[in-house]
């Protein structure tokens, strides 16, 4: 059965790095779609031989619009990581987006990631396309409430989860990042522009230097930003998150149920179980659920 809206025009997947764009493309194909892949220049992984695709610059709205028209695209999903914002010289707009150019430039220079993504969504929709979320194509990716693996948090872990969740929520409101690490009730790391994996590497380094307790494990919490448009950049965890959290000495990972993506769930759960770590979906409306 085709996805809702499949008769309205072709689906395009704007692909950054990582495996998520491929999972979405395969799911869309299984649902009867013929997705067209817009591979972001210097970002997308070379995994698209089995799909119709084209390369487009991150800031090339003119080129993007031309591809939308050529391939009769009406719906767009944005997925995958983008490491670098376009420079001013890489921004190319067409008449449909020219009025938004001053706003776009201000956002690129001073806005956080969520502000940038909202700006990109508005530019895409100015071309006449409808932006949809990754979870609309592959809803099974969404984290569910409760343990995702075979291990559950201890009472100490729950206290760390609550404190890290409060920190991650505050961080999100500032449009800075989505993750926080708490060890023994102490916030030891907040996610910035470097991303989750780099933050966890920093925690591992600090622990090795004795700056973080060797006795207490701690947790990673990732939350959707309170003001975030959930059609783009939902928090995601996967095998690499588990591996990096293990290297950082953490007891486990908590993500926001219904507003975070779990990539390669079975393999991730197997890795977490093997490492003796929990992965759990939490509902921010149910604070203290683990007590």
């Amino acid at each position: 059965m085709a996805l809702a809206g499949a008769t309205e025009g072709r689906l395009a997947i704007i692909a950054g790095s990582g495996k998520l764009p491929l999972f979405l493309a395969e799911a869309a194909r299984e649902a009867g779609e013929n997705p067209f892949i817009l591979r972001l220049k210097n970002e997308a992984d070379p995994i698209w031989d089995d799909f119709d695709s084209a390369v487009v610059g991150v800031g090339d709205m003119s080129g993007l619009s031309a591809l939308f028209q050529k391939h009769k695209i009406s719906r767009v999903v944005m997925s995958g990581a983008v490491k670098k914002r376009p420079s001013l010289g890489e921004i190319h707009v067409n008449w449909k987006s020219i009025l938004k150019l001053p706003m776009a430039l201000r956002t690129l220079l001073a806005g956080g990631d969520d502000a940038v993504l909202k700006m990109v969504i508005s530019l895409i929709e100015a071309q006449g396309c409808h932006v949809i979320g990754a979870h609309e194509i592959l809803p099974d990716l969404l984290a569910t409430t409760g343990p995702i693996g075979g291990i559950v948090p201890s009472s100490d872990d729950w206290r760390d989860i609550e404190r890290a969740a409060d920190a991650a929520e505050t961080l999100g409101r500032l449009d800075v990042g989505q993750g926080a690490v708490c060890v023994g009730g102490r916030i030891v790391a907040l996610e910035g522009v470097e991303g989750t994996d780099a933050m966890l590497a920093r925690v591992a380094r600090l622990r090795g230097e004795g700056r973080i307790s060797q006795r207490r494990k701690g947790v990673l919490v990732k939350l959707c930003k309170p003001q975030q448009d959930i059609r783009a950049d939902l928090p995601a965890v996967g095998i690499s998150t588990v591996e990096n959290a293990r290297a950082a000495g953490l007891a486990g990972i908590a993500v926001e149920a219904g507003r975070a993506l779990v990539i390669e769930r079975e393999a991730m759960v197997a890795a977490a179980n093997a490492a003796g770590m929990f992965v759990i979906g939490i509902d921010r409306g149910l604070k203290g659920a683990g007590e």
Side-chain angles (χ1 to χ4, degrees):
M1 180 179 295
L3 295 168
T7 59
E8 299 173 4
R10 196 171 185 181
L11 172 72
I13 296 176
I14 299 179
S17 63
K19 294 183 178 180
L20 178 58
L22 181 60
F23 294 155
L24 295 176
E26 291 172 342
R29 179 179 278 174
E30 289 176 5
E33 297 271 5
N34 180 25
F36 188 85
I37 313 304
L38 296 160
R39 296 177 285 134
L40 292 179
K41 185 178 180 181
N42 298 324
E43 298 284 357
D45 294 336
I47 53 178
W48 298 108
D49 291 346
D50 293 335
F51 291 86
D52 294 340
S53 70
V55 175
V56 65
V58 174
D60 188 3
M61 189 54 59
S62 179
L64 201 63
S65 180
L67 288 166
F68 289 162
Q69 294 181 38
K70 179 179 179 181
H71 298 283
K72 297 181 172 56
I73 290 164
S74 67
R75 291 160 298 130
V76 177
V77 61
M78 301 161 56
S79 66
V82 177
K83 298 181 179 67
K84 180 179 176 292
R85 294 189 184 189
S87 65
L88 297 183
E90 294 173 313
I91 298 175
H92 305 288
V93 298
N94 59 355
W95 66 271
K96 291 181 180 179
S97 52
I98 191 67
L99 294 179
K100 296 179 179 289
L101 182 59
M103 175 271 292
L105 294 177
R106 286 195 301 271
T107 303
L108 282 172
L109 290 172
D113 287 347
D114 185 58
V116 170
L117 287 168
K118 286 179 177 177
M119 178 268 294
V120 171
I121 288 172
S122 73
L123 290 174
I124 290 172
E125 294 194 327
Q127 314 306 314
C129 290
H130 177 53
V131 176
I132 62 176
H135 59 286
E136 296 179 64
I137 296 178
L138 202 52
D140 289 346
L141 283 178
L142 286 173
T144 51
T145 303
I148 297 172
I151 298 170
V152 298
S154 68
S155 57
D156 286 343
D157 294 332
W158 273 108
R159 283 191 285 273
D160 281 346
I161 287 171
E162 291 295 343
R163 185 149 175 78
D166 287 341
E169 185 174 313
T170 300
L171 189 69
R173 290 188 190 281
L174 297 173
D175 196 5
V176 175
Q178 298 173 322
V181 174
C182 182
V183 177
R186 173 191 175 202
I187 301 299
V188 299
L190 298 172
E191 181 185 357
V193 295
E194 81 276 26
T196 303
D197 289 344
M199 175 184 66
L200 291 172
R202 174 159 44 96
V203 172
R205 185 173 64 254
L206 290 171
R207 200 185 288 272
E209 293 170 354
R211 302 284 298 278
I212 297 174
S213 171
Q214 298 282 354
R215 206 165 42 84
R216 299 178 182 271
K217 288 192 172 182
V219 302
L220 163 69
V221 173
K222 294 194 70 172
L223 301 181
C224 190
K225 296 173 183 176
Q227 73 282 4
Q228 185 169 335
D229 189 321
I230 64 172
R231 292 175 292 175
D233 195 33
L234 284 178
V237 293
I239 297 172
S240 66
T241 318
V242 169
E243 291 174 345
N244 289 320
R246 178 191 57 76
L250 302 183
I253 300 165
V255 293
E256 188 172 2
R259 283 159 58 91
L261 304 176
V262 180
I263 312 300
E264 296 183 285
R265 186 179 298 242
E266 290 185 7
M268 187 206 70
V269 166
N273 288 345
M277 294 172 55
F278 66 82
V279 181
I280 193 167
I282 59 172
D283 186 339
R284 285 294 284 161
L286 298 175
K287 292 186 179 182
E291 297 180 359

